[in-house]
Amino acid sequence: MKDIDAIAVLQDPVRRRLYEYVAAQGREVGRNEAAEAAGVARTLAAHHLDKLTEAGLLESGSRRLTGRSGPGAGRPAKVYTRSPAERSVSLPARDYRTAAELLAEAAEQAGLDAALCAAARRRGEALRGPGAGPCGSLGDAVEMLAARGYEPHVEDVDGVEESSGGAGAARVVRMRNCPFHAVAERFPPLVCGMNLALLEGLLGADGPVRARMDARPGECCVVVEDSKNNDR
C-alpha cells in the first residue's frame, strides 16, 4: 500500500502544484523558485517539498544556485527533482507490467519487430480518429503528446528551451516521459521502435511534422520536428 500513501500526499492542492511544477521543469528546482511558481511563502513551500521527498515523489540535493564557488559564493541551497520511481494503484491488484514484459520477450525472440511496428502504426492512426488528417503543426503535436502522457516541451535544435531560443530557430519537440519506460528499459530496440511507429501513426506520415529517433538520457527516445527541417 506504499503507492497509495505516496499518491495520497498529492491530495493537498498546494503540494500538488509544487509537485507538478518541479516535474515539468526537467531540472533541479530551488525552494524560492518553487514557492513563487505555486504562489505560496517559501517556508510553506519548503514544508511541502520535504513532504513530497519523504513520500518518494521528489528527490532532494543541494547546490549553489548562484553558479559561483569559493568564499562569498553563499551556502548551497536545497534543490528538488522528480523521482524516477513509478507509482501506480490498482484496486483490485493487477500486473499488466509483467504481461507486457512477457509479450515483449516473446515478440523479440520470435523476430516480430516489423509486425509489432505495423500494429503500433495502425493503433496510432486509430487514436488520431477516423478521417482525421495529419497533425498540422508542432503546437498541435504538443497537445496530442501531452494528452498521451509524454510531457512534451519545445526546444530549438541546439537544446535551448523555446522561450529562450532565437527568432526563426529550427525547433523540435522532446518528451520528458516515456509511457512505456519500464518495458523499454528491458527491451529497448523493440519497444522504442514500437513507440516510434505509434507516433508516426498518431501524427500522420505525410503532414508538416514527423517523428524520428533521437535518444537522450532520461527522456523519450523519439523527437518530433518540422518535416522540412533537419532532413536526414
Side-chain angles (χ1 to χ4, degrees), residues 42-81:
R42 182 184 183 279
T43 52
L44 181 60
H47 168 74
H48 285 306
L49 289 166
D50 287 340
K51 287 292 184 183
L52 289 164
T53 303
E54 291 172 12
L57 296 171
L58 296 180
E59 292 182 348
S60 64
S62 61
R63 67 177 178 87
R64 289 188 173 90
L65 299 178
T66 61
R68 302 195 305 270
S69 60
R75 295 174 57 191
K78 200 163 187 178
V79 292
Y80 302 85
T81 56

